Amino acid sequence: DLTRAGSPPAFYLSCGVDDYFGLAEGTLAFGRELAAAGVPATVRILPGRHDWAFWRAELHEALTALGTAIG
């Protein structure tokens, strides 16, 4: 339950395989670091790039994950 004081936040990381500057690799690495630290995280690497079409497609999933995390 992430509403308790002292609980780590839940992360939702989403990145397109065609994102600029190697963001997909960095997103995966950050997800691994969060997992190693015991911080809950959802990591999704999907087709696309950092643009409105990508985020429009991901908005429902991100909001669903947020709703679950704050329960």
Side-chain angles (χ1 to χ4, degrees), residues 8-62:
F11 283 81
Y12 183 90
L13 309 173
S14 181
C15 187
V17 294
D18 297 320
D19 269 343
Y20 315 104
F21 309 115
L23 289 178
E25 292 82 9
T27 300
L28 288 170
F30 185 50
R32 286 190 297 271
E33 291 295 323
L34 289 170
V39 176
T42 298
V43 180
R44 291 171 44 101
I45 307 298
L46 304 166
R49 61 187 185 136
H50 203 92
D51 60 16
W52 284 112
F54 181 85
W55 291 110
R56 191 176 306 115
E58 272 295 275
L59 184 59
H60 177 76
E61 293 295 327

